[in-house]
């Protein structure tokens, strides 16, 4: 059964069922709070938002790493009905300006800085009017909707509320007023706007409802067999669906303890798993790779791990096997989806055979319809034939904020979301993602899926990570280029790697170009930006041709 609940009701339910269970732990700061305390904290913050004059449906942007204030704000806005607009931690001035303008945000909550970037300096540059504004009464030429800026600290900046000044607004709002506001919310209201990573064009604001994210979180946690006795380590960023749906929402819907790492660091994650006896761990493949290859990995005890999620980009089979066998996360699951589907469409089950868990992204969730179509004819294809994956159900976004054209391009007249991903369904209903439609490489009339070649090359003992992209070629239309990261201390050259491929994969699948690098261009949520790799590949090939 789907839940017809708001985000706020989920917190209330968890606090009522398991008041003494720890809701969250911040090991780096020695902070731990029970679900009863978390419910009280989020009530207090919900009243503060109301006391500031923020109405139901008003847009509140939040910009920081995984701070406690972020977590509290997610569920406090869920109680009083403001729409939380999540901001990528890597954003710079122009990107922030675009998001705040496009989202019509009236309020911005921000940390002071992130990895050397001063968020305060950026907002001051965007809104010089802050210098002479009364707090809460900003009038900005560039951001006409923005009225209030709140910082997650007690340092005083002109025109910006400190956190305690913000919290003080709660005093003017009664319990009855908050309860009335909570009753006025509907499960089908938009409660969250997440901006797509913008790998092509400008980012689009995905409008998600209580219904979308509460149920997606519930089902994700069900598939992980989460209970109030589990402790889930969350090092993935909150601003992304991975953090705030697969992470916090999946946990709260099951009264599970959230063990939170503010910024990903492999050693801090391993320390948290050991010290807090975590039973679950989330991460994108690059995070698990970093943890498994940390020089001190062997000194940490991860035997309490049982479950978790590896998602965000295709999961290398060899890495998955190590997470199961070396880390001990025997029930770890793979999830697949996108922000527009809030986000999970398919997931492996904890009792699936390892072959299914390493070679597929599982089966569709309950209450979700999936079909695979020929992207040219739009006709459904039979099992075993690649095509575009489409999904329909409760999980599909309301649309892109103020962008009807893009909404209609993504969701057809029958309500199917067209994902743009190439997938194959087997006879048992398990789905394998073989790439993005735009990532498919056509060499001499042959369709080549980068994932297949990447999986093969992962088996080379010297290779830590590998990405395959296509580059233009006058003879074949496209050729393959491999970007390879080697394990520490390993040596390998292009010719030796090609020799390794001969006789094992088809000649046309052996990369013509091979580059060795130390890292890939990444989004803040840990996704590899293949479009940037394609641009880099083109530059390399053109430079060599001169």
């Amino acid at each position: 059964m789907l839940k017809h609940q708001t985000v706020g009701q989920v917190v209330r339910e968890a606090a009522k069922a398991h008041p003494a269970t720890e809701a969250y732990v911040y090991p780096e700061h020695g902070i731990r709070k029970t679900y009863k305390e978390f419910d009280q904290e989020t009530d207090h913050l919900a009243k503060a938002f109301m006391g500031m004059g923020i109405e139901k449906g008003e847009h509140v942007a939040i910009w920081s790493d995984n701070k406690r204030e972020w977590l509290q704000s997610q569920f406090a806005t869920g109680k009083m009905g403001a729409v939380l607009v999540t901001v990528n931690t890597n954003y710079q001035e122009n990107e922030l300006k675009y998001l705040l303008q496009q989202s019509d945000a009236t309020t911005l909550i921000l940390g002071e800085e992130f990895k050397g970037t001063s968020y305060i300096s950026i907002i001051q540059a965007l809104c010089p009017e802050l210098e002479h504004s009364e707090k809460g009464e900003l009038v900005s030429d560039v951001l006409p909707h923005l009225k209030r800026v709140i910082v997650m600290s007690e340092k005083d900046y002109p025109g910006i509320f400190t956190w305690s000044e913000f919290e003080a607004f709660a005093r003017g709002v009664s319990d009855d007023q908050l309860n009335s506001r909570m009753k006025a919310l509907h499960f089908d209201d938009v409660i969250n706007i997440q901006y797509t990573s913008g790998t092509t064009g400008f980012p689009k604001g995905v409008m998600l409802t209580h219904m979308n994210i509460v149920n997606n979180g519930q089902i994700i946690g069900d598939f992980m067999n989460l209970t109030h006795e589990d402790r889930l380590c969350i090092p993935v960023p909150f601003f992304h669906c991975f953090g705030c749906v697969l992470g916090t929402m999946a946990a709260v819907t099951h009264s599970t303890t959230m063990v939170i790492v503010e910024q990903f660091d492999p050693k801090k994650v391993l320390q948290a798993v050991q010290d807090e006896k975590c039973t679950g761990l989330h991460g994108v493949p690059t995070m698990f790779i970093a943890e498994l290859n940390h020089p001190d990995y062997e000194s940490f005890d991860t035997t309490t791990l049982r479950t978790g999620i590896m998602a965000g980009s295709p999961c290398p089979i060899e890495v998955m096997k190590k997470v199961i066998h070396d880390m001990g996360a025997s029930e770890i699951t793979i999830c697949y989806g996108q922000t527009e589907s809030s986000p999970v469409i398919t997931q492996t089950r904890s009792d699936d055979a390892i072959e299914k868990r390493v070679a597929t992204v599982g089966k569709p969730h309950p209450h979700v319809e999936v079909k695979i179509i020929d992207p040219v004819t739009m006709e459904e294809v039979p099992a075993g034939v690649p095509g575009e994956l489409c999904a329909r159900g409760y999980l599909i976004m309301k649309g892109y904020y103020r962008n009807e054209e893009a909404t209609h391009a993504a969701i057809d007249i029958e309500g199917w979301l067209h994902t743009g991903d190439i997938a194959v369904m087997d006879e048992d209903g398990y789905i394998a993602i073989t790439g993005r439609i735009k990532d498919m490489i056509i060499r001499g009339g042959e369709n080549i899926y980068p994932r297949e070649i990447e999986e093969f090359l992962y088996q080379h003992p010297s290779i830590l990570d590998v990405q395959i992209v296509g580059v233009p070629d006058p003879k074949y239309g496209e050729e393959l280029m491999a970007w390879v990261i080697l394990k520490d201390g390993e040596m390998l050259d292009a010719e030796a790697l090609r020799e390794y491929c001969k006789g094992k994969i088809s000649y046309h699948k052996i990369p013509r170009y091979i580059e060795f690098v130390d890292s890939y261009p990444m989004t803040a949520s840990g996704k590899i930006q293949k479009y940037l790799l394609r641009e880099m590949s083109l530059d390399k090939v053109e430079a060599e041709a001169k």
Side-chain angles (χ1 to χ4, degrees):
M1 287 284 291
L2 290 171
K3 286 176 177 272
H4 293 82
Q5 286 185 324
T6 64
V7 169
Q9 287 170 329
V10 169
V11 186
R12 282 269 195 278
E13 200 173 75
K16 192 175 177 183
H18 299 284
T21 296
E22 283 182 338
Y24 66 86
V25 178
Y26 276 85
E28 297 164 77
H29 304 293
I31 300 169
R32 47 188 75 237
K33 296 288 180 180
T34 65
Y35 268 100
K36 181 181 180 181
E37 290 169 322
F38 185 48
D39 190 33
Q40 291 167 343
E41 287 179 344
T42 49
D43 271 5
H44 181 69
L45 222 58
K47 290 180 190 175
F49 283 120
M50 290 171 66
M52 280 189 131
I54 296 173
E55 300 293 337
K56 172 190 170 185
E58 204 166 315
H59 293 183
V60 175
I62 187 159
W63 192 30
S64 90
D65 51 9
N66 293 0
K67 289 192 167 32
R68 178 187 181 189
E69 293 87 350
W70 205 116
L71 178 69
Q72 293 170 330
S73 296
Q74 178 187 0
F75 290 90
T77 52
K79 284 181 170 178
M80 53 68 64
V83 177
L84 195 70
V85 180
T86 61
V87 186
N88 188 317
T89 48
N90 280 349
Y91 271 9
Q92 299 295 314
E93 186 176 329
N94 281 342
E95 295 154 315
L96 181 69
K97 175 183 168 184
Y98 168 80
L99 180 142
L100 293 175
Q101 285 177 337
Q102 207 281 330
S103 68
D104 299 327
T106 65
T107 307
L108 172 65
I109 302 170
L110 77 171
E112 289 182 287
E113 60 86 36
F114 176 76
K115 292 186 176 177
T117 295
S118 169
Y119 287 176
I120 296 291
S121 296
I122 287 175
I123 194 63
Q124 286 172 336
L126 267 181
C127 300
E129 299 92 344
L130 278 169
E131 184 69 32
H132 304 293
S133 290
E134 289 292 320
K135 295 179 182 185
E137 296 178 20
L138 175 65
V139 179
S140 165
D141 289 339
V142 172
L143 303 170
H145 288 274
L146 192 66
K147 301 186 187 77
R148 313 169 196 91
V149 181
I150 304 162
V151 67
M152 298 175 180
S153 91
E154 293 310 309
K155 194 165 178 186
D156 207 23
Y157 299 99
I160 299 176
F161 290 108
T162 64
W163 194 253
S164 58
E165 286 172 340
F166 160 52
E167 287 194 298
F169 280 94
R171 290 198 289 265
V173 179
S174 68
D175 288 346
D176 286 345
Q177 285 172 301
L178 174 58
N179 288 333
S180 295
R181 177 71 70 91
M182 283 185 74
K183 284 175 186 168
L185 307 186
H186 191 272
F187 58 80
D188 206 32
D189 293 337
V190 173
I191 196 64
N192 184 206
I193 294 179
Q194 299 205 24
Y195 278 78
T196 57
S197 52
T199 52
T200 55
F202 286 106
K204 298 182 286 286
V206 175
M207 296 186 287
L208 301 176
T209 65
H210 297 270
M211 183 85 178
N212 289 151
I213 61 176
V214 166
N215 285 288
N216 210 249
Q218 176 73 45
I219 296 167
I220 289 162
D222 288 349
F223 277 30
M224 295 172 67
N225 299 317
L226 288 182
T227 72
H228 68 284
E229 294 179 339
D230 279 298
R231 300 172 73 79
L232 177 63
C233 183
I234 309 175
V236 289
F238 285 165
F239 77 80
H240 188 270
C241 268
F242 201 166
C244 67
V245 182
L246 287 77
T248 61
M249 193 60 66
V252 176
T253 50
H254 294 80
S255 306
T256 295
T257 302
M258 298 170 274
V259 177
I260 295 161
V261 177
E262 281 191 358
Q263 291 178 25
F264 175 73
D265 173 274
K267 190 168 185 177
K268 284 180 181 175
V269 172
L270 292 165
Q271 192 80 54
V273 168
Q274 172 182 280
D275 295 353
E276 294 297 328
K277 295 183 166 48
C278 293
T279 57
L281 173 61
H282 282 359
V284 295
T286 49
M287 290 180 175
F288 283 105
I289 289 168
E291 290 150 15
L292 287 161
N293 287 277
H294 192 277
D296 298 333
Y297 170 72
E298 295 292 341
S299 67
F300 289 99
D301 180 2
T302 62
T303 54
T304 53
L305 284 179
R306 171 185 67 79
T307 186
I309 293 173
M310 199 190 302
S313 61
C315 306
I317 289 168
E318 295 305 311
V319 177
M320 185 68 171
K321 286 177 178 173
K322 284 181 181 175
V323 171
I324 291 170
H325 297 301
D326 298 0
M327 285 185 128
S330 58
E331 296 180 21
I332 194 161
T333 71
I334 298 282
C335 289
Y336 158 77
Q338 51 190 216
T339 310
E340 291 85 345
S341 55
S342 63
V344 175
I345 297 170
T346 71
Q347 188 173 357
T348 57
R349 277 57 170 172
S350 59
D351 59 352
D352 277 340
I354 188 168
E355 293 77 22
K356 295 293 189 190
R357 280 194 282 154
V358 298
T360 78
V361 290
K363 292 180 179 178
H365 269 183
H367 313 289
V368 177
E369 292 178 84
V370 163
K371 67 178 180 178
I372 296 173
I373 63 167
D374 183 313
V376 178
T377 66
M378 297 294 174
E379 295 295 317
E380 201 162 344
V381 298
V385 177
E388 182 182 16
L389 188 144
C390 300
R392 184 166 68 177
Y394 80 88
L395 71 171
I396 305 305
M397 65 173 176
K398 280 271 190 177
Y400 296 116
Y401 185 66
R402 290 206 290 119
N403 196 338
E404 280 191 37
E405 186 183 346
T407 301
H408 292 314
I411 303 172
D412 68 26
I413 198 162
E414 294 178 336
W416 290 98
L417 172 71
H418 291 249
T419 65
D421 287 322
I422 301 166
V424 181
M425 187 184 291
D426 68 17
E427 297 290 350
D428 300 322
Y430 286 85
I431 291 169
I433 305 296
T434 54
R436 294 287 290 167
I437 287 175
K438 63 176 183 288
D439 286 346
M440 187 175 74
I441 299 161
I442 304 175
R443 182 192 183 276
E446 295 267 8
N447 290 356
I448 299 173
Y449 301 104
R451 176 77 190 275
E452 178 193 353
I453 303 160
E454 289 163 0
E455 290 292 1
F456 167 72
L457 292 175
Y458 275 124
Q459 296 170 34
H460 192 290
S462 298
I463 289 178
L464 180 66
D465 208 347
V466 58
Q467 296 294 316
I468 301 288
V469 296
V471 290
D473 183 76
K475 183 177 180 182
Y476 293 106
E478 283 187 286
E479 272 287 7
L480 278 65
M481 183 160 192
W483 292 84
V484 179
I485 297 177
L486 295 176
K487 292 176 181 173
D488 282 350
E490 293 290 336
M491 301 286 286
L492 187 67
D493 63 27
E495 203 45 54
L497 186 53
R498 286 192 198 95
E499 201 58 41
Y500 172 81
C501 296
K502 285 177 184 172
K504 297 190 184 84
I505 57 172
S506 302
Y507 178 77
H508 68 276
K509 294 177 182 175
I510 299 175
R512 179 173 169 185
Y513 304 99
I514 298 172
E515 284 290 325
F516 295 92
V517 289
D518 296 325
S519 63
Y520 299 127
M522 311 274 273
T523 67
S525 53
K527 287 187 180 180
I528 295 163
Q529 293 173 302
K530 273 209 164 175
Y531 79 103
L532 285 179
L533 278 180
R534 277 193 290 272
E535 289 175 12
M536 289 159 59
S537 302
L538 193 57
D539 291 344
K540 283 269 182 194
V541 172
E542 285 176 350
E544 283 180 20
K546 287 177 181 175

